Amino acid sequence: MGQDAFKNFGFPKRAGYSVSHWLQSVQDDPLLNHRTTPKLPPSADIVIIGSGISGTLIAQSVAETWPEKKSVVIEARQFCSGATGRNAGHCKPDQWRGFIEYEERFGTQQALKILQNEQQTWSEVVQYIEKNNVDCEHWTGDTLDVPITPEEAESAKKTFERYKAAGGRVDHIQVTHDPKKAAEISQIKDAQACYAWPASTLHPWKFAAHVMRSNIQRGVNLQTNTRATKVVPSRRSKTKWIVRTERGDIECSEVVHASNAYSSALEPSLRGLITPCPHMCNKVIPPKAGEDFAGFKGSYGVLLPQNDLITINPRLKGDGAVLFGGSNPGQDEFMQWLKENPHRYTDDGLTGFDSVTKAIHKFAVGELKGWSTDDMKQEEAYQHAWSGILGLSEDGVPFVGQLPGLPGQWVCAGHHGHFNSANTVACELISGMARIFTIAPGLVKLMDGGSWADTQLPDVFQMTVARTERLKKRLRTLSPVRARI
């Protein structure tokens, strides 16, 4: 497509390098381009591909489990510069919203376990931050889910009541179905209901950096700007692998694929099972607190018509900027552009998309109390945006475990997004933070010879031959082309 197409779909003629709010704030940090050793080691016990929150936490569990083993984390670009360094800053456990969809796909007990796992993950993240005094701008308080139409309020109520009837824990969730009270609590004019429960926001890069610095002190070798190109069997040993990179080869006994959306590009067996998809996040400087705007008190998920969603992170322990993510009404036009430009599905250099930005602007000015001031009506205030690449799994939950037929190769990827209501995925750049803190040590337990039961993870997360064959068969039926991507 020519330059006119970029203009029509809202991109500037030259889409510059996308620098997230998080990465922008740490540009002078030496960890970004850290190499523990000047040269790439020719051998290791374990090679972890990817330095986001998955690779970083897996490396932590490896160092704790086998302090004597040599592990190397390789990163194609700067440390933690992929989805973790580009998300919307939430660590928000889904406590009810996705239940019906999970139940339809996996059954009642697995649906309950998925949401219980998210609660456990959030709790352990907070405990780790507090115990280790992690400097990551951590805030914990109420997160609000707010439907803004009667139809969305009814759908939310149906899901919540079904979750409660199935045995889901709801005693920690505050609910009001009074629109007037919901609008007062949320400061959203058309709020029809409000659901509130504990969650967190944080600086995801700083959190991952704290863990990685501890890993390095324990002997983990981090090699940034080292792109893996292929994993092949070693010619010297039937039980070893060669990880080929642009800087040389590493021979190892075990490989962990932890690059999420990019895992399927490196490992052919994952193609079709994990699909990369870019997503936008916008930063806005809010109006000063005044008579009409008391200031945000928590984070948000705003439930919109057609199952759209806007997430709001007001950075309560940061600089006061407000980050808007989620799948807003402008996403449809963005997805259409991607279909016409498929080479951009893995491009996190996108610096904004007009329809997405305009949808945020329309919502903020029309719905947020006190945001209809002259300053906040200017579209320029909403223009700072960046992209991150989601790893969408074919059945909506991550892949964790050994790659079928490839002993010694493991995967922790496809972290997907949270389900909104009926048959829709709300592609929030937050799901990794809602699951990985329990998934990473679970994977290492498997690597240590443990059973799946030892991981205490939902059964549907497990990478199995039966699961992959079922999904591949469905893909071939529904989309023969996508099954090869």
Side-chain angles (χ1 to χ4, degrees):
M1 298 182 74
Q3 296 293 352
D4 288 342
F6 277 82
K7 183 177 179 180
N8 291 340
F9 278 91
F11 280 109
K13 291 186 177 181
R14 291 184 179 180
Y17 177 68
S18 167
V19 180
S20 72
H21 176 68
W22 318 113
L23 293 171
Q24 187 179 57
S25 68
V26 295
Q27 284 299 293
D28 295 330
D29 196 304
L31 191 63
L32 281 169
N33 297 298
H34 177 87
R35 288 178 178 173
T36 306
T37 55
K39 293 184 178 180
L40 194 68
S43 64
D45 294 302
I46 302 167
V47 173
I48 300 166
I49 302 171
S51 72
I53 195 65
S54 288
T56 295
L57 288 173
I58 291 166
Q60 179 189 60
S61 291
V62 164
E64 291 173 347
T65 305
W66 304 296
E68 75 285 358
K69 289 191 176 183
K70 295 181 180 178
S71 60
V72 180
V73 178
I74 60 174
E75 167 59 52
R77 301 175 298 181
Q78 293 181 316
F79 168 72
C80 197
S81 58
T84 302
R86 296 171 175 277
N87 65 30
H90 299 266
C91 185
K92 173 176 178 171
D94 181 0
Q95 291 296 272
W96 61 277
R97 195 199 316 151
F99 181 74
I100 287 180
E101 182 71 18
Y102 289 130
E103 186 178 41
E104 289 176 352
R105 293 193 179 200
F106 307 118
T108 301
Q109 292 309 307
Q110 286 300 303
L112 288 170
K113 196 165 184 178
I114 289 170
L115 300 187
Q116 289 164 1
N117 172 256
E118 295 208 12
Q119 175 69 11
Q120 179 188 350
T121 299
W122 169 75
S123 178
E124 291 188 12
V125 167
V126 172
Q127 289 175 23
Y128 179 88
I129 290 171
E130 293 177 348
K131 179 180 178 180
N132 294 279
N133 297 314
V134 181
D135 179 13
C136 62
E137 300 168 17
H138 165 246
W139 167 87
T140 286
D142 281 345
T143 188
L144 309 181
D145 267 12
V146 184
I148 64 169
T149 67
E151 294 77 14
E152 285 302 311
E154 183 60 31
S155 177
K157 184 178 181 180
K158 175 184 175 182
T159 301
F160 184 81
E161 293 300 328
R162 173 60 199 144
Y163 174 63
K164 182 179 179 180
R169 178 175 166 247
V170 298
D171 57 307
H172 62 301
I173 304 176
Q174 303 172 59
V175 183
T176 178
H177 297 294
D178 178 352
K180 183 177 180 181
K181 188 174 181 181
E184 181 181 342
I185 294 170
S186 67
Q187 299 189 85
I188 295 176
K189 295 175 184 177
D190 288 326
Q192 301 297 303
C194 185
Y195 298 77
W197 67 95
S200 299
T201 62
L202 48 77
H203 192 303
W205 192 96
K206 289 183 178 180
F207 177 75
H210 177 96
V211 179
M212 183 55 77
R213 288 190 175 99
S214 176
N215 291 344
I216 293 169
Q217 290 175 355
R218 292 178 173 181
V220 174
N221 189 326
L222 171 63
Q223 295 287 324
T224 62
N225 301 296
T226 304
R227 187 171 74 92
T229 58
K230 203 169 187 180
V231 179
V232 298
S234 171
R235 293 182 178 180
R236 299 196 308 167
S237 172
K238 293 182 179 180
T239 62
K240 293 192 175 183
W241 298 95
I242 299 292
V243 179
R244 290 182 175 166
T245 82
E246 294 176 336
R247 295 176 56 218
D249 297 346
I250 311 177
E251 185 179 60
C252 60
S253 300
E254 296 183 278
V255 180
V256 181
H257 296 268
S259 55
N260 202 27
Y262 299 101
S263 299
S264 56
L266 188 62
E267 174 43 52
S269 66
L270 295 173
R271 290 172 190 168
L273 301 180
I274 300 175
T275 304
C277 183
H279 216 69
M280 306 305 303
C281 188
N282 289 64
K283 171 185 172 181
V284 182
I285 304 301
K288 294 181 179 180
E291 183 178 344
D292 296 326
F293 181 63
F296 291 115
K297 299 297 188 295
S299 64
Y300 287 71
V302 183
L303 313 184
L304 306 172
Q306 285 78 53
N307 299 317
D308 288 329
L309 173 81
I310 289 178
T311 67
I312 305 175
N313 173 4
R315 300 278 291 119
L316 294 167
K317 286 291 183 71
D319 57 5
V322 179
L323 307 185
F324 290 88
S327 293
N328 73 35
Q331 189 75 10
D332 288 344
E333 191 172 323
F334 184 30
M335 296 307 294
Q336 179 60 38
W337 183 86
L338 288 169
K339 288 179 182 178
E340 298 179 20
N341 296 268
H343 61 289
R344 306 302 286 272
Y345 272 98
T346 56
D347 184 359
D348 58 12
L350 307 177
T351 57
F353 195 85
D354 196 45
S355 66
V356 173
T357 299
K358 284 184 175 179
I360 292 170
H361 175 257
K362 180 180 179 180
F363 165 78
V365 172
E367 289 290 345
L368 296 178
K369 295 181 179 180
W371 282 54
S372 56
T373 62
D374 289 341
D375 288 343
M376 299 314 297
K377 285 182 179 178
Q378 303 301 314
E379 290 188 16
E380 290 76 10
Y382 301 81
Q383 294 299 316
H384 181 192
W386 62 89
S387 52
I389 308 299
L390 290 163
L392 303 181
S393 82
E394 184 56 27
D395 55 3
V397 292
F399 293 96
V400 183
Q402 183 175 281
L403 288 169
L406 298 171
Q409 288 200 51
W410 306 85
V411 64
C412 177
H415 298 296
H416 210 73
H418 280 147
F419 287 115
N420 194 359
S421 49
N423 300 313
T424 299
V425 175
C427 296
E428 305 168 66
L429 279 173
I430 65 176
S431 61
M433 294 302 299
R435 292 175 177 160
I436 292 170
F437 208 80
T438 52
I439 287 178
L443 177 68
V444 175
K445 287 179 181 178
L446 297 176
M447 295 170 67
D448 196 28
S451 67
W452 184 261
D454 293 332
T455 70
Q456 299 184 17
L457 296 171
D459 294 339
V460 293
F461 289 7
Q462 186 176 14
M463 180 65 144
T464 65
V465 173
R467 181 185 175 193
T468 56
E469 288 183 348
R470 181 179 68 254
L471 293 176
K472 292 264 187 178
K473 182 179 179 180
R474 186 175 75 182
L475 270 172
R476 286 191 294 270
T477 302
L478 297 177
S479 179
V481 174
R482 189 176 163 197
R484 298 192 296 269
I485 295 177

